[in-house]
Amino acid sequence: MSVILIEGGKKLSGALTVQGAKNSVLPMLAATVLCPGVCCMKGCPELSDVETAGQIIRRLGGEVHREGPDLVVDTRNISACEIPRELMCRMRSSVMFLGAILARCGEAVCSQPGGCDLGPRPIDLHLHALRALGAQIKEENGRLHCRCGKLRGAEIFLQIPSVGATENAMLAACQAEGTTVISNAAREPEIVELQDFLRAMGASVRGAGSATVVIEGRKKLHGCTHLVRPDRIVAATYLCAAAATGGCVCLRRAEYRHMASVLCVLQGSGCDVRSDGCGICLKSSGRLRAVPPVRTSPYPGFPTDAQAIMMAALLRSKGSTVFVETLFSDRYRHVPQLQKMGAQIRTRGQTAIVTGTENLHGTAVQATDLRGGAALIVGGLQAEGITRVEQIHHIERGYADIVGDLAGLGACIYTEK
C-alpha cells in the first residue's frame, strides 16, 4: 500500500491552478445518463471517485474515456438499469445515479451507497423526492427497487437543504411531465454548476443557488461540452496549508465568493487574503492566532468538508478555538490521529476545542476519511521530523495530485509505494 511521507517545517510559496471540483463532476456524470448523446467535461480531475462513476456508466451500457485532461462520456447505448453493489459501496455519490436512471429507463435498482464513514447519512430525502415525482420504491434485502410509469412534476419540500437530495430531484425532474418546484433546496455552488450543465444539455432549470429550484420537464436532452469549475475544498486545503506553514501562495481560478466563510476564518487568524478576480492569494507569517467559534452549516455557512482541514491549520495557533460540527455525527475521526502528532484537542459530542501548541512531531498516522486525510497532511507540513500518512486511498478520492501540488509549492512531500 502506498503512503505519503512529509518532512515538516518548509514554508509554502508559489502559484498553482486548482483542479476541477469533485462535488460538481459526480452529479454531472450522473446527469449524462439522461441524454442519448456525448458529453465532454473539460478539466475533469483524475480521481478514484470519478473512475467509480465512470465504471457505473459503463455497466449501464455507456462509454467513458479520457482525452488529455478532459473526460468524454457517450450514453447513447445505455440500456441497463442496475448498479452493482460493489460500485455502490465505493462512494456515497453513487446514489446520484438513481434519479437519472429512473428518468431514462423507467426503472432503477441499487443498494445503499458507501463512501466515508462520517456517521449515519440516510437517503430518506432522496427517496422522498423521487416518490413525490411518482416513483414506486421498495427495499428488499438491502436493495432498492425503483419503478415509475411516468414521472410527473411535483412540489417537493426538503426538510433540510440536502445537497444530494436536491441534485437527485433535479435530475429526475428534468424528464418529468410538467413543472417541479424544489423548496428549501441546497444552495451550494455545485448545485449552480449542475444547473448550468443541465441547461447546456437542453434542460429547463432555474433558481439554483437560491432556496427554490424550478424545473420544466423536457423529453429530449442532448450532449454538451462543459468546463468544470475549480474545487473550493481543494483550494481551502492549500490555503490552510500555506496559512499554517507561512509564505505566500496564489491559487489560479479559485473563486473568492464561493469560499467566503473559509477565507473569513483565515483572515481572522492573521492571514492576508486577497483576490484579483483571477484567483486568491494568501500571505501568512506561519504562527496563527485563535479565532471565534467555527460552526459548520449548509452553504453559505462554513463547509463541513473544510472543518478538519481548518482544525489542522490552527494546531500551532496562539490560544484556543472551538469547533462545532452540526452536519455529521462522526466527523472528528481525524482527531486521535492529530493527537498522535502532539495536537492539543479535546472533544465532547459535536464540539472540539483546539488549543495551539508550539511543537508538533512527525509520526505514523492513518487517514480515516477523505478530508480527515487532508488534515493529516496539513498537520504533517507543520510537524518536526517525518510524518507518515497511511490509508491514502481515502485522500485519492478527492485530490488528483495533492503530493505534486504541495511539492510544487515547496513542501518536502512524496509518495512511497
Side-chain angles (χ1 to χ4, degrees), residues 336-350:
Q337 303 300 311
L338 292 174
Q339 289 171 333
K340 289 183 182 180
M341 303 168 66
Q344 301 298 307
I345 307 172
R346 305 192 311 276
T347 61
R348 183 174 182 178
Q350 299 304 102

Side-chain angles (χ1 to χ4, degrees), residues 196-208:
D196 293 344
F197 186 76
L198 290 169
R199 282 178 171 176
M201 293 170 62
S204 175
V205 187
R206 66 182 187 274

Side-chain angles (χ1 to χ4, degrees), residues 11 15 18 33 43 50 93 103 120 140 177 183 246 255 281 332 397:
K11 289 187 175 183
V18 180
V33 174
V50 172
S93 294
E140 299 175 349
E177 288 187 355
S183 300
E255 299 186 31
C281 292
Y332 290 143
R397 289 185 49 233

